[in-house]
Amino acid sequence: MLAARPYRERFRRALGVRPGQRLVVLNSTWNPEGFFGNGGGKDVLPSLLPRLTAELPADEYRLAAILHPNIWYGHGPGQIRAWLDRARRSGLTLIDPVHAWRQALMAADVVLGDFGAVSYYAAALGLPVMLAAAAPDRLDPVAPLASFVRDAPRLDPNDLLREQIERVLTRHRPLAEPAGFTTSAPGASAALLREHFYKLMDLPEPEAPALLEPLPLPAYDPPRRTAPLHVWTRVRGTDVIIERSTGRPRRTDGNSHLVVHEDDLDPDSLETADVITREGQPDDPRLGSPEAWTAEVLRRYPRCPVAAYVSGPHTCTVRVRDHGAFRLSAEPGADADPAAYASSLAAWFATGGRVPPSGITLRVHVAGGVHPVTAEPVLPGDLAAQP
């Protein structure tokens, strides 16, 4: 992990973490008192996951979970995914517990964990760690891990989660003890361990240098949210401030609308959606062109005013009822979810805005940044289908 530190930003991009986002990694050891335990009503994770996706804005936070391999093998992958289906539809990513946990840990901004080794590795890397499950009686009281568990900040499941996470990020100071106990010779473990192993086998050590197998770059795995999102917006000129989460917005000084993915589990939610979305390739033969899909959606759901087809990491096509179709493209310096751009355009029209034939550039404020996005009308000759 220390050798792979220069590639932290690559690991973050592999998980779809955008600029301004904080990656929150949940981790659990395999134990009844662990974060992902089997203690019935005492378990923290089942009640915590829906609150995390509701209280943490989707564009400011990214969620991933590292579960010990024995949790996967004990219950089975199908059961794990079924138990966590709601959270996965809200944006949680389950990390490969063998091949990708180290990369995810190195990409993290904060770790919510328990008394397992992954929490200790996180502290050794200098990350802020909050314990959601401690169980100090499970540990040898003189072990360094026990000392860490006693002193680490606790996550209070009954308090506001976002405030606690922000607080631990602000107050965090890396600890020297976990790093010092994990390795007394940083960067030299390959040579030292090989020398020791060959002495145990009473064999001559190879002359070639002892080298580490580099951590592989995981496959690109951005979040795929199909659960409805409540979107709060405020429009000031061409500036659109936006916040999205699965929970209802608490702010009252702007407007709000409901975004529903076409693959949402509840078909009735599509009947009440203000924006219907999906993502796909622009030439997907199953869906037709983005213009055709958006037209089809507005025909099928006559109460919905906006349909948005995300066709790439920086582009989408948005059709607004009675106003036509528009192509949204991120300008240099913009790097947010195109579905957030679509919600910004919906808010722009909802407050009386119009897009001139030459197009318009909106400044989308999200995740602490400003993202300039150009909206251009799709010319009638370019349309694959009309609504």
Side-chain angles (χ1 to χ4, degrees):
M1 285 191 282
L2 295 179
R5 265 185 162 171
Y7 309 114
R8 180 175 187 266
E9 288 303 319
R10 295 184 186 178
F11 299 149
R12 290 173 66 81
R13 289 196 294 269
L15 283 169
V17 180
R18 293 180 180 269
Q21 274 190 317
R22 287 166 166 166
L23 175 60
V24 180
V25 170
L26 316 171
N27 87 84
S28 177
T29 190
W30 60 300
N31 192 288
E33 285 80 27
F35 197 6
F36 194 86
N38 62 359
K42 296 182 180 179
D43 280 355
V44 177
L45 197 63
S47 62
L48 198 63
L49 279 174
R51 289 186 53 212
L52 281 169
T53 57
E55 295 183 30
L56 301 182
D59 297 293
E60 296 182 29
Y61 291 90
R62 174 85 170 90
L63 293 175
I66 300 171
L67 304 180
H68 192 283
N70 285 353
I71 295 176
W72 288 91
Y73 301 146
H75 299 290
Q79 182 63 77
I80 295 297
R81 292 190 175 94
W83 279 336
L84 299 180
D85 179 67
R86 178 181 174 185
R88 292 171 64 218
R89 288 185 287 108
S90 297
L92 175 74
T93 292
L94 297 178
I95 302 299
D96 185 313
V98 175
H99 302 291
W101 71 269
R102 291 166 294 181
Q103 296 91 320
L105 197 62
M106 293 171 62
D109 292 291
V110 61
V111 173
L112 308 183
D114 55 21
F115 51 93
V118 173
S119 297
Y120 200 72
Y121 277 123
L125 288 169
L127 294 170
V129 179
M130 297 182 72
L131 299 186
D137 56 322
R138 287 279 180 176
L139 303 171
D140 184 340
V142 299
L145 179 57
S147 174
F148 165 74
V149 168
R150 284 193 298 268
D151 298 336
R154 296 289 193 271
L155 181 73
D156 182 355
N158 300 313
D159 200 357
L160 296 175
L161 301 177
R162 183 178 181 180
E163 282 76 359
Q164 293 184 73
I165 292 173
E166 294 286 350
R167 189 160 54 244
V168 77
L169 282 165
T170 302
R171 298 177 180 177
H172 173 64
R173 298 293 182 271
L175 301 174
E177 292 80 3
F181 180 75
T182 302
T183 171
S184 59
S189 62
L192 291 172
L193 288 172
R194 191 180 74 172
E195 178 186 7
H196 181 63
F197 295 152
Y198 273 85
K199 284 181 178 178
L200 290 174
M201 294 185 292
D202 195 22
L203 292 174
E205 188 177 357
E207 294 182 0
L211 302 175
L212 294 169
E213 190 75 23
L215 290 182
L217 182 63
Y220 183 54
D221 190 16
R224 185 174 186 266
R225 295 183 179 89
T226 59
L229 285 174
H230 296 273
V231 182
W232 173 86
T233 61
R234 187 172 64 193
V235 179
R236 296 288 185 270
T238 56
D239 289 83
V240 183
I241 305 170
I242 183 170
E243 185 174 288
R244 306 184 301 160
S245 70
T246 59
R248 293 187 178 276
R250 298 180 181 180
R251 306 191 190 192
T252 59
D253 57 341
N255 298 301
S256 63
H257 61 261
L258 180 67
V259 176
V260 179
H261 194 281
E262 191 181 32
D263 292 340
D264 182 54
L265 291 183
D266 182 5
D268 292 339
S269 64
L270 292 165
E271 302 289 346
T272 61
D274 299 301
V275 179
I276 296 176
T277 66
R278 84 161 301 118
E279 63 287 320
Q281 296 300 316
D283 56 352
D284 190 329
R286 301 168 300 171
L287 302 170
S289 67
E291 293 82 7
W293 179 87
T294 54
E296 176 192 342
V297 164
L298 293 190
R299 283 196 301 266
R300 182 177 296 122
Y301 301 101
R303 296 182 180 178
C304 180
V306 179
Y309 187 104
V310 175
S311 53
H314 304 289
T315 57
C316 67
T317 297
V318 180
R319 188 180 293 276
V320 183
R321 193 179 298 279
D322 301 329
H323 295 284
F326 304 88
R327 289 196 182 98
L328 271 61
S329 304
E331 293 191 357
D335 190 4
D337 184 351
Y341 302 155
S343 280
S344 299
L345 185 66
W348 170 255
F349 274 103
T351 55
R354 295 294 181 267
V355 176
S358 58
I360 192 171
T361 298
L362 300 178
R363 289 162 45 86
V364 181
H365 296 246
V366 67
V370 181
H371 306 265
V373 179
T374 297
E376 298 177 304
V378 177
L379 298 177
D382 296 336
L383 292 175
Q386 292 287 346

